[in-house]
Amino acid sequence: MTGLAQDAANRVREKVKGPVKVGMVLGSGLGALADEVEDAERFPYQKLPGFPVSSVSSHASELVVGTLNGVKVAILAGRAHYYESGDATVMKQPLATLKALGCEQFLLTNAAGSLRDDVAPGELMLIDDHINWSGRSPLIGIETDDRFVGLTEAYDSQMRSDLTRAAASAGVTLKSGVYAWFSGPNFETPAEIRAARILGADAVGMSTVPEVILARWMGIRVAAISTITNYGAGMTGSELSHEETKQVGPIGAQKLIKVIKAYLQDMAS
Ligand code: HPA
């Protein structure tokens, strides 16, 4: 574990005792989940060594540690993206800090565009697998053999079945599919969306994949859920916008919060 992550974890431990079980990353419009944490201690990213500050208008930037439905959680409320700096390792220290706090698993969330007619804006999609269309990896530059991380089972099957069960018990429809990472920050072209569909993608987005790769490199189990905010470029008559992501995000976010709370409830019982 790197020194920076240990320093950040030590700063958290001054206020929060005992190991944290689940680490989370909240995507656009999901900040409301962090507001539900009990006995929350909040750490602005500026105060934590190695943490980035997101420039995305819908992203807060704080680590929130506390209890949610009986489980000790550490929530990265706001992520930094590859497209902000061209640095695919930008979430490395925050995720390493969650690991240093004791997290055994990461639950990642994002906003995404749907490539499937049967997965509409406002719905949720559990990520089964991904296509790294950006071609970037946060492991580039590591010189030891642990960089050759296997991604055959990148998205933990036990977590996925537990999340599927939690969604059913919360009465929320949870679709599933393959997420393709496009670097952004521009949205895709209709031709890219058609290509991604042919390649086997069900959704597209600008995040999460580097975090999944980092998690597997760290030996942490990981699962990810997308809130669908729009159909991919060219699938409807209208242009895409971040405004739409911000407006539709909270609809899926309310559902996702229910699923995550049910998932944690099951874990605690
Ligand atoms: N493409 C990429 N990222 C996104 C989209 C999209 O259509 N919607 C939300 N995030």
Side-chain angles (χ1 to χ4, degrees):
M1 196 56 61
T2 61
L4 280 177
Q6 272 306 345
D7 291 349
N10 290 343
R11 210 158 289 187
V12 172
R13 284 215 194 86
E14 285 165 13
K15 298 239 173 113
V16 182
K17 299 297 163 214
V20 178
K21 202 160 182 184
V22 179
M24 293 185 216
V25 180
L26 302 186
S28 293
L30 284 156
L33 182 65
D35 296 336
E36 302 210 18
V37 173
E38 291 161 32
D39 303 323
E41 292 289 349
R42 295 170 176 273
F43 306 87
Y45 287 0
Q46 296 98 306
K47 300 232 168 107
L48 295 173
F51 274 56
V53 176
S54 173
S55 61
V56 184
S57 56
S58 52
H59 283 247
S61 290
E62 56 182 8
L63 170 61
V64 181
V65 187
T67 305
L68 193 55
N69 281 30
V71 178
K72 202 77 166 283
V73 295
I75 300 183
L76 294 168
R79 61 158 54 87
H81 305 77
Y82 170 72
Y83 63 70
E84 293 172 65
S85 60
D87 177 6
T89 70
V90 68
M91 291 298 282
K92 187 171 172 178
Q93 299 305 334
L95 294 174
T97 301
L98 298 190
K99 179 175 175 172
L101 289 171
C103 291
E104 298 156 1
Q105 56 173 265
F106 295 158
L107 187 47
L108 312 177
T109 66
N110 63 39
S114 173
L115 306 194
R116 268 178 30 200
D117 295 330
D118 66 323
V119 184
E123 287 202 274
L124 302 182
M125 191 191 92
L126 179 66
I127 302 181
D128 288 332
D129 202 349
H130 73 231
I131 296 171
N132 183 352
W133 188 251
S134 81
R136 309 298 304 171
S137 169
L139 308 184
I140 290 173
I142 294 174
E143 292 179 346
T144 45
D145 278 358
D146 63 349
R147 65 185 147 182
F148 299 112
V149 173
L151 295 177
T152 311
E153 269 276 344
Y155 297 81
D156 190 84
S157 57
Q158 184 66 53
M159 287 180 76
R160 282 190 283 143
S161 60
D162 290 348
L163 284 162
T164 303
R165 198 168 340 103
S169 73
V172 173
T173 303
L174 183 60
K175 305 273 174 73
S176 64
V178 173
Y179 174 94
W181 176 31
F182 279 70
S183 78
N186 53 280
F187 287 103
E188 301 74 29
T189 63
E192 286 166 344
I193 291 298
R194 286 194 301 274
R197 285 174 85 156
I198 292 166
L199 289 174
D202 299 292
V204 286
M206 305 178 192
S207 68
T208 307
V209 166
E211 295 155 22
V212 169
I213 296 170
L214 285 165
R216 295 312 303 138
W217 173 69
M218 293 174 189
I220 302 281
R221 297 163 61 207
V222 65
I225 299 181
S226 297
T227 60
I228 299 298
T229 54
N230 56 281
Y231 287 111
M235 290 177 66
T236 67
S238 49
E239 183 55 283
L240 272 47
S241 72
H242 186 57
E243 211 42 54
E244 179 178 46
T245 304
K246 288 198 276 189
Q247 269 171 19
V248 183
I251 301 169
Q254 286 315 310
K255 296 179 187 170
L256 186 46
I257 288 171
K258 282 191 196 164
V259 174
I260 292 175
K261 287 173 79 173
Y263 175 73
L264 295 174
Q265 184 98 50
D266 289 347
M267 194 181 288
S269 60

